[in-house]
Amino acid sequence: QVQVVESGGGLVQAGGSLRLSCTVSGRPGVRAAMGWFRQAPGKEREFVAHVSWDGRNTYYGDSVKGRFTISRANAENTVHLQMNSLKPEDTAVYYCAAVVFGAVRQFTANEYDYWGQGTQVTVSS
């Protein structure tokens, strides 16, 4: 059974940094492309970042470009999201997602196969 587990959320002041981590387990030998989404209260789920299965290609949502960095760790199917220069509008539940079947083309939520439970990020002004 595939499991997606996020960690690293918390409370930080505006201008600060946080690093989120995500590990996908249950598919040994399969390297998954992985992404991060976020959802603030009353808003739709928003694409944040994506990294290809081999780590060579990364993509970002417009609102986080230049501030967030997604990377793959040495461990299989573990990714990090380094978030710098955080703003109050970055406050949301952040979800990690994995693609095992098919490919991601438009970075929409329905392209991802497995999801984590989410981790809260709160940025105070």
Side-chain angles (χ1 to χ4, degrees):
Q1 184 175 354
V2 175
Q3 286 191 316
V4 180
V5 179
E6 307 102 333
S7 63
L11 173 65
V12 65
Q13 288 189 329
S17 299
L18 279 176
R19 189 173 88 151
L20 306 182
S21 298
C22 173
T23 297
V24 177
S25 60
R27 296 285 297 212
V30 176
R31 290 181 67 84
M34 297 171 71
W36 288 93
F37 286 74
R38 67 186 183 186
Q39 189 165 19
K43 294 189 177 181
E44 293 186 353
R45 193 163 293 194
E46 175 189 16
F47 169 70
V48 174
H50 176 93
V51 62
S52 60
W53 68 271
D54 58 1
R56 292 183 178 181
N57 299 300
T58 57
Y59 306 88
Y60 297 93
D62 288 342
S63 61
V64 306
K65 282 180 182 176
R67 299 187 298 123
F68 290 12
T69 303
I70 189 170
S71 61
R72 297 194 77 102
N74 290 332
E76 187 174 86
N77 291 336
T78 295
V79 298
H80 302 299
L81 183 69
Q82 179 66 40
M83 306 186 294
N84 297 329
S85 302
L86 283 161
K87 306 174 182 179
E89 50 264 44
D90 293 317
T91 296
V93 177
Y94 283 69
Y95 296 92
C96 179
V99 181
V100 176
F101 310 105
V104 171
R105 290 180 170 81
Q106 296 182 320
F107 310 110
T108 56
N110 60 7
E111 294 179 287
Y112 292 78
D113 303 308
Y114 300 100
W115 291 82
Q117 293 297 310
T119 185
Q120 177 71 45
V121 171
T122 302
V123 184
S124 63
S125 58

